[in-house]
Amino acid sequence: FFFSLLLLLAYSLAEIDTCIRHNIPIIAVIGNDSKWAQIYRDQVPVLGSDVACTLKPKTEYHTVSIGYGGKGIVISQPDQLKDALIEAKRLAASGHPVVINCILSQSKFREGSISI
C-alpha cells in the first residue's frame, strides 16, 4: 500500500509502468486539489504569481494508470473512500497496481507554515 500527495506521485506516476512490468500491485492514493499547494502557498505571496503551481482542474491521474495497464478509481466525496479502498485492495490482490484519485476541495491547510 502506498500513499502519495499529488506532488510526490505526479513526479513518479510513470512508476506505474514499472509496477506493471515487475508485477508489483501497489495502491497509490492521490490527494488531488488541482495545484501544487505546498509550493503555491509560498510562491504566490513571495513572487506574486501562480505560474507552474495551478493545474488543470480534476486531472485524471487514474486514467494515466489505466493507460499504463493498471487500474484507476476516482472519488470526490469522503464517504466514497472506504469503498474505493476495498475495490483497490481487490484489484491489487489480483495483481494490478491501482491509483485512487481523490478529488479534493481547495483549503488553507498548513497556511503560514514554511516549505523550503
Side-chain angles (χ1 to χ4, degrees):
F1 186 78
F2 175 72
F3 179 79
S4 175
L5 295 175
L6 178 57
L7 178 63
L8 174 63
L9 194 58
Y11 281 123
S12 61
L13 189 55
E15 293 303 334
I16 295 297
D17 177 61
T18 302
C19 293
I20 294 289
R21 288 184 285 112
H22 296 281
N23 299 312
I24 304 169
I26 67 160
I27 299 170
V29 180
I30 303 174
N32 181 353
D33 66 354
S34 300
K35 68 169 75 170
W36 303 109
Q38 184 174 356
I39 297 166
Y40 177 94
R41 182 180 68 234
D42 294 330
Q43 179 175 312
V44 173
V46 172
L47 301 176
S49 172
D50 67 356
V51 166
C53 295
T54 303
L55 307 173
K56 183 185 118 199
K58 301 179 182 176
T59 299
E60 296 185 7
Y61 295 104
H62 56 289
T63 302
V64 175
S65 177
I66 294 166
Y68 281 122
K71 301 297 181 182
I73 299 169
V74 63
I75 65 171
S76 59
Q77 298 297 319
D79 63 350
Q80 297 172 316
L81 183 58
K82 182 178 179 180
D83 288 341
L85 288 170
I86 291 168
E87 176 65 4
K89 287 179 184 180
R90 185 188 69 74
L91 292 167
S94 66
H96 301 283
V98 182
V99 169
I100 302 175
N101 187 8
C102 301
I103 306 299
L104 305 175
S105 59
Q106 303 292 317
S107 76
K108 295 185 183 266
F109 176 69
R110 296 181 61 189
E111 186 172 288
S113 64
I114 298 172
S115 298
I116 298 176

